[in-house]
Each structure stands twice: as C-alpha cells, then as structure tokens.
Amino acid sequence: MVAIRERIDEIDSTLIALWQERAVLSQEVGATRMASGGTRLVLSREREILERFRQVLGADGTQLALLLLRAGRGPL
C-alpha cells in the first residue's frame, strides 16, 4: 500500500510540473500571437484540444481540457 501511494504521489508531482509547463508555453503562444497582430485565442485550436481529450477520456476529459485551457489563457 505504501509503495502504491508513493507512486501516486510521484505521478501527481509530474502532473503538476507538466501542468505548469503547459500553462507557461500556452501563455507564450498567446503573447506571440498577439504581438504579431493575431487574436489572443484560436477557437478552432481549443476545439481540437477539447475533442482530443473527450475522445480519450470521455466527459471528464472535456472538463480536464477546459481547466488546462483556462490555466494557459486565463478566464474568458
């Protein structure tokens, strides 16, 4: 049981680090896009991400993708 919980904690740490890295990269993309005269958001890209997560994880995947997107771009 202890070993399983330790592995879960390791996975959680990895997920948190990846979440933070993804948010920073997403913010960089948005800033670059806006600096070149584009829009802050590309809705077609967000739809692709939502669909990918939904296909793999179902309804929970959609919710997870929405959280990831919000972390990277901020609230709408």
Side-chain angles (χ1 to χ4, degrees), residues 18-76:
L18 289 170
W19 180 289
Q20 292 170 326
E21 180 182 0
R22 188 191 190 287
V24 168
L25 292 170
S26 183
Q27 290 164 8
E28 289 177 16
V29 167
T32 302
R33 190 181 313 111
M34 287 175 55
S36 66
T39 60
R40 184 174 76 122
L41 302 175
V42 175
L43 294 178
S44 61
R45 172 70 176 151
E46 290 205 358
R47 280 192 296 271
E48 288 174 17
I49 293 166
L50 288 167
E51 181 59 19
R52 182 174 346 124
F53 274 74
R54 186 199 63 75
Q55 285 180 355
V56 175
L57 302 173
D60 288 341
T62 301
Q63 294 304 310
L64 177 58
L66 286 169
L67 290 169
L68 285 169
L69 291 168
R70 187 172 70 198
R73 63 158 154 67
L76 294 176

